[in-house]
Amino acid sequence: MNDHYEKIFLLLSLTTVLYRAQQITLIYELTYKANPDKPAFSSENYYLDVLGEESAFRSERERASDSLIQRTGLGLGRNPVFNSQLYTLKNLKTRDIQKIIFTNFFNDKYSITIDEKLEWKILPDKQKVADLDCQKAVVNYGGRSWTTWFTQSIPLPEGPYVFNGLPGMIVNISDNKSDYSFNLIKMKEFEKDNLFAVKKAKAVNWEVFQKIQSDYYTDPFAEIKARNMKVQAGDEKGNLIPTDLNKITKQLKKQIKENNNPIELNHRVNYD
């Protein structure tokens, strides 16, 4: 048995107890294709923390950054490519889902209410995944068709990113292009009494978010220039070195354009 899945099986009885208190952490490995025109895939671990009637889904780095911000006021910085931000907050009682977006330099926070309904179709197909009895389901979201295997052995209607609402925990889910695949690799007790998640964010819709992305692509340093702020960098010895904003801008634009395979394809920004 795969070591990752063995951990899931061994912790199943613990998870049943933890579910009753709804205080659990589920770790998913995300494998994704950032550039739709290249065969290369990347992988990263994401944490789904459930505490009472709330949950937070975020990368390992974002999770650590949230904790640091709560304690010190300073975080670890955010990914400059918006498509790589898959931070979501859920209210498990009201089913409200918020996608959280961070800007790169000033850490401005925005939230988008996910109002696209997940119309699950549960299929009769069943199989064991990591020794868990799972059932197949399909759904459309974000301009993609998704297939999932969920288990009622963990009676928590939760899953990675925006996905929830099935009569059990999602063990894995992937889109029909195989651009995004989430696989549950570990479960453990959530040992804190606070999610340390984002509390305040400016509400925007998809159209506004698309404009934010387009404006950032046009000039990533526009706000810094407007505030007459200096951008300085240092070498490994801490010595200040000249900063070429034009060169950095070209590098950022290249990075953004080449990593334009968002999970919500129906809200993709077409960069010139």
Side-chain angles (χ1 to χ4, degrees), residues 77-268:
R78 305 293 177 173
N79 196 313
V81 179
F82 289 109
N83 292 335
S84 299
Q85 298 185 20
L86 302 180
Y87 192 125
T88 51
L89 301 175
K90 300 191 190 95
N91 183 309
L92 306 185
K93 184 177 182 180
T94 64
R95 292 286 186 88
D96 178 69
I97 304 174
Q98 298 292 323
K99 177 182 175 74
I100 307 298
I101 304 297
F102 304 88
T103 59
N104 192 29
F105 298 112
F106 297 102
N107 202 32
D108 292 330
K109 293 174 281 290
Y110 301 93
S111 67
I112 300 174
T113 297
I114 302 298
D115 53 12
E116 183 177 345
K117 300 299 182 183
L118 298 177
E119 303 289 349
W120 292 103
K121 181 179 181 182
I122 298 176
L123 303 176
D125 311 57
K126 295 182 180 181
Q127 69 175 24
K128 282 189 177 292
V129 180
D131 255 11
L132 296 174
D133 293 320
C134 294
Q135 189 165 354
K136 188 177 183 180
V138 294
V139 72
N140 292 322
Y141 172 75
R144 298 178 186 271
S145 298
W146 299 83
T147 298
T148 185
W149 291 92
F150 69 97
T151 179
Q152 296 188 52
S153 300
I154 309 173
L156 181 66
E158 257 287 38
Y161 195 47
V162 303
F163 302 106
N164 70 344
L166 285 165
M169 174 60 63
I170 291 175
V171 176
N172 61 48
I173 183 167
S174 58
D175 72 301
N176 61 330
K177 296 177 180 290
S178 297
D179 285 349
Y180 287 84
S181 180
F182 298 90
N183 290 285
L184 180 62
I185 60 173
K186 188 175 182 180
M187 299 179 292
K188 62 181 183 179
E189 182 181 4
F190 183 66
E191 299 174 343
K192 302 181 185 297
D193 59 1
N194 190 325
L195 289 175
F196 298 107
V198 170
K199 293 298 182 183
K200 295 181 180 180
K202 181 180 179 180
V204 297
N205 56 28
W206 285 108
E207 290 73 21
V208 172
F209 177 45
Q210 286 175 315
K211 186 177 187 307
I212 290 171
Q213 293 178 85
S214 296
D215 290 346
Y216 180 75
Y217 176 78
T218 300
D219 187 354
F221 297 98
E223 192 168 353
I224 287 177
K225 294 172 184 176
R227 299 186 188 189
N228 291 318
M229 297 176 66
K230 292 182 179 180
V231 178
Q232 294 181 316
D235 59 20
E236 64 273 6
K237 296 181 180 180
N239 299 315
L240 294 178
I241 57 177
T243 303
D244 187 340
L245 289 186
N246 289 330
K247 181 180 179 180
I248 298 175
T249 296
K250 288 179 181 178
Q251 292 173 341
L252 280 172
K253 294 179 75 167
K254 183 174 184 290
Q255 185 180 2
I256 293 168
K257 197 169 184 177
E258 289 185 351
N259 292 273
N260 195 21
N261 190 24
I263 196 167
E264 285 94 0
L265 267 181
N266 54 339
H267 296 298
R268 182 176 184 267

Side-chain angles (χ1 to χ4, degrees), residues 15-72:
T15 303
T16 302
V17 175
L18 293 173
Y19 164 69
R20 295 192 185 108
Q22 287 199 230
Q23 190 165 332
I24 186 172
T25 292
L26 299 110
I27 303 175
Y28 288 87
E29 180 183 45
L30 168 62
T31 302
Y32 63 100
K33 183 188 288 189
N35 188 330
D37 300 320
K38 293 184 178 180
F41 283 84
S42 300
S43 63
E44 185 175 2
N45 287 350
Y46 276 76
Y47 284 66
L48 175 61
D49 295 313
V50 179
L51 180 61
E53 295 179 345
E54 296 179 308
S55 73
F57 181 77
R58 53 207 159 172
S59 70
E60 188 170 13
R61 179 182 174 85
E62 287 169 332
R63 188 175 187 254
S65 185
D66 283 349
S67 181
L68 277 173
I69 290 171
Q70 291 278 347
R71 289 186 284 112
T72 69

